[in-house]
Amino acid sequence: MFAAFGLFPLLYTAFVSLYRVELQAPGDMEWRGLGNYTALLGDEYFWVALRNTFTIGVLSTVPQLVTALGLAHLLNYRMRGRTFLRTAVLLPYATSVAAATLVFAQLFGRDFGLINYALGLVGIDPVDWQNDTVASQIAVSTVVIWRWTGYNALIYLAGMQSIPDELYEAAAMDGASRWRQFFHVTLPGLRPTILFTVVVSTIGATQLFGEPLLLEGSISGGISHQYQTLGLYMYEQGWGFFHLGRAAAIAWVMFLLIVVLVGLNALIARRRSRKEARR
Amino acid sequence: MTALVRPARSGPSRAGRTLHAGPFAYTILIVAVLFSAFPFYWTIVAASRSNADLAKVPPALLPGRHLMRNFEAVLEEADIGKALLNSLLVSGSITLGTVLCCTLAGFAFAKLRFRGRGALLAVTVGTMMIPPQLGVIPLFMLIAELGWVNQLQSVILPGLVSAFGVFFMRQYLVQSLPDELIEAARVDGASTARIFWSIVVPIARPGMAVLGLLTFMAAWNDFFWPVVALSSSEPTVQVALRQLGGGYVHDQSVIMAGTLLGTLPVLLVFGLLGRQIVGGIMQGAVKG
């Protein structure tokens, strides 16, 4: 039963990606071999989408996880209203991609957006958050960062609470400051959790779809595809231009990308822990 | 097993690290909370203003008086009423189905011996890694073949069981359901079905509640598959929001009113049960 849900779509999508299949008549399939893949490699927008997926992925994942780590450290203190604070940082997680993106699209508006107004107060010229490549990618990343930082902070917090107290006591006895405790006890103890969040965020970033779709509602990710991700490119090919076979090929490229990225993460993690063991 | 529904509390034994927060920590956290909350506040402000108000410089920062008018406009233009009803139906069915199916499957994986159990569990957990984009094409071809495109069952049926839920319930039951209890029931002649209803379900209830909450929020907020499978005539709230943002309506304040309506139900759930959600996420993370 579960093989049906997991393995079957994987193989069937690979199968579809070798055919010409159109959305209007999904039953009629015409053999194309690797034609969908070679067409993809020859499409400049595929490369644009691949590059955008990568840059938006880095722009959204890195600040998100670093901030989450800092927040988790603070949330782990003894303080008043701790439960309230923990719940409040998770609040953005309760919204949908659609709702969050629509609100941010408004905040990032070029002429009347609040963000440009605030920038104007400190003397910065209005930024074109929709058409400028870097700015639009920052805008997309901001939505991702806003929605997921609190969630990741809670995951780090859970990881921090499972680090044995004796380690902190020993470090404190050796005269380690708070900062040194954070770097030499907390961070190494959190390594598996950090790897987990890096993997999950990488997978999430590879699939980014709703945020670039709704920033201004176009399926091409901006006039010059400046913030179109692979997920959106797949949707455009499959449900915008009706090429399901082509969309299946893109889905498989996304899957391979995830496998490579996750493998790379695991490799780096293993190498680092081996290096540490040798020390 | 209250630990699953409540965040673990650090007691006096954690003396090594229970540092008290200083003014610095409070300041940063309060700033973080303001950042988290501001877009919600802004949604309310924008939804209660007229479009002309929003195009003013400096922009309005306090709520205005147009909330009801904007709500009426959004009900009329995007049929948000129908979308809300659809979303409620879809999320409700998915939540019920997931909680039931995943408790059953989780129980089987946790306590029943059968051939290939380990391998099946590994496959189940493995599917969590596969991007939804891969499942979408076969699924779409299937519902096209069945003539279900643009019908709610195309969104409900695939959501009735989730790999995460199975894994979550398995972990919960491995810890909280003692083998002796099941053995004793067996000695008394209870069937497996009887054991499930009279012993497993009552014990699993707190875990089922957390899974139900997380599932409801995820189902309500799901975007990709509903956008593919449904269209404007039978939308969920997220599909309707996509249409609002897709240029059918140009009135920013009406878009924000729709966003507010679409977010309110899940915010309500979060407001009432946020603590349990926090606990569920933290517990799931430690186990994952």
Side-chain angles (χ1 to χ4, degrees), chain B residues 1 22-24 35 42 46 69 85 95 111 159 201-202 236 240 268-269 280:
Chain B
M1 264 321 289
F24 176 72
F35 265 107
W42 179 252
R69 193 186 301 167
L85 214 63
T95 306
K111 297 293 170 182
V201 169
T236 60
L268 206 67
V269 169

Side-chain angles (χ1 to χ4, degrees), chain A residues 6 13 23 78-80 94-96 103 106 112 114 117 146 160-161 163 165 207 209 234-235 239 248 255, chain B residues 13-14 17 19 21 26 35-36 40 42-43 55 58-59 127 131 134 136-138 140 221 224 238 242 252 266:
Chain A
T13 305
L23 187 71
R78 240 175 204 294
M79 65 178 85
R80 277 165 190 279
T95 54
S96 63
V103 178
Q106 230 236 323
F112 307 111
L114 207 59
Y117 173 74
W146 179 73
M160 284 176 186
Q161 294 189 338
I163 297 173
D165 291 325
Q207 300 163 4
F209 166 73
M234 172 195 161
Y235 181 74
W239 285 272
F255 175 63
Chain B
S13 71
R14 311 204 154 210
R17 121 189 60 150
L19 303 163
Y26 278 113
F35 265 107
S36 297
F40 294 104
W42 179 252
T43 311
T127 60
L134 277 164
V136 158
I137 287 168
F140 185 81
N221 287 337
F224 185 49
Q238 309 308 329
R242 189 243 158 138
Q252 285 291 331
V266 81

Side-chain angles (χ1 to χ4, degrees), chain A residues 1-3 5-6 8-10 12-13 16 21 23 26-27 29 71 74-80 82-99 102-104 106-107 111-112 114 117 146 151 154-155 157-165 168-169 178 181 196 199 203 207 209-210 213-214 216-217 219 231 234-235 239 244 247-248 251-252 254-255 258 262, chain B residues 7-22 25-26 28-30 32-33 35-40 42-43 46 54-59 61 105 109 120 123-124 127 129-138 140-141 144-145 158 161 166 214 217 221 223-224 227-228 238 241-242 244-246 252 255-256 259 263 266-267 270 274-275 277-278 281-282 285-286 288:
Chain A
M1 175 176 160
F2 290 109
F5 284 107
F8 172 72
L10 194 69
Y12 195 77
T13 305
V16 172
V21 190
L23 187 71
M29 298 171 67
L71 278 181
L74 296 179
L75 286 170
N76 204 15
Y77 282 155
R78 240 175 204 294
M79 65 178 85
R80 277 165 190 279
R82 190 164 64 172
T83 312
F84 167 77
L85 289 171
R86 287 178 183 176
T87 315
V89 295
L90 190 67
L91 198 58
Y93 170 80
T95 54
S96 63
V97 183
L102 289 178
V103 178
F104 273 93
Q106 230 236 323
L107 290 170
D111 298 324
F112 307 111
L114 207 59
Y117 173 74
W146 179 73
Y151 176 86
L154 287 185
I155 288 180
L157 182 59
M160 284 176 186
Q161 294 189 338
S162 64
I163 297 173
D165 291 325
Y168 287 96
E169 279 160 22
R178 279 187 186 194
Q181 287 186 25
F196 171 77
V199 168
I203 294 176
Q207 300 163 4
F209 166 73
L213 174 64
L214 283 172
E216 59 171 346
I219 61 172
M234 172 195 161
Y235 181 74
W239 285 272
L244 275 189
W252 247 81
M254 290 169 69
F255 175 63
I258 289 174
V262 169
Chain B
R9 218 184 311 168
S10 35
S13 71
R14 311 204 154 210
R17 121 189 60 150
T18 43
L19 303 163
H20 286 263
Y26 278 113
I28 302 238
L29 283 174
I30 286 168
V33 167
F35 265 107
S36 297
F38 183 75
F40 294 104
W42 179 252
T43 311
L54 293 180
K56 266 185 207 145
V57 178
L61 286 174
F109 277 128
L120 264 181
V123 170
T124 309
T127 60
M129 298 280 286
I130 295 176
Q133 275 81 0
L134 277 164
V136 158
I137 287 168
F140 185 81
M141 292 171 76
E145 207 65 33
V161 68
V166 172
L214 294 176
M217 287 174 59
N221 287 337
F223 187 68
F224 185 49
V227 160
V228 167
Q238 309 308 329
L241 285 183
R242 189 243 158 138
L244 274 182
Q252 285 291 331
I255 295 179
M256 286 300 106
T259 309
T263 317
V266 81
L267 276 186
F270 194 85
R275 208 187 246 246
I277 295 167
V278 169
I281 285 172
M282 284 179 61
V286 177

Side-chain angles (χ1 to χ4, degrees), chain A residues 187-207:
Chain A
L187 278 187
L190 273 185
R191 183 168 297 148
T193 317
I194 292 175
L195 181 67
F196 171 77
T197 55
V198 168
V199 168
V200 171
S201 311
T202 307
I203 294 176
T206 316
Q207 300 163 4

Side-chain angles (χ1 to χ4, degrees), chain A residues 195-250:
Chain A
L195 181 67
F196 171 77
T197 55
V198 168
V199 168
V200 171
S201 311
T202 307
I203 294 176
T206 316
Q207 300 163 4
L208 225 51
F209 166 73
E211 293 88 346
L213 174 64
L214 283 172
L215 188 64
E216 59 171 346
S218 77
I219 61 172
S220 60
I223 298 165
S224 49
H225 296 238
Q226 67 271 28
Y227 53 90
Q228 187 175 46
T229 54
L230 281 176
L232 190 51
Y233 179 62
M234 172 195 161
Y235 181 74
E236 188 190 28
Q237 291 292 330
W239 285 272
F241 302 150
F242 311 132
H243 305 317
L244 275 189
R246 179 87 75 95
I250 301 167

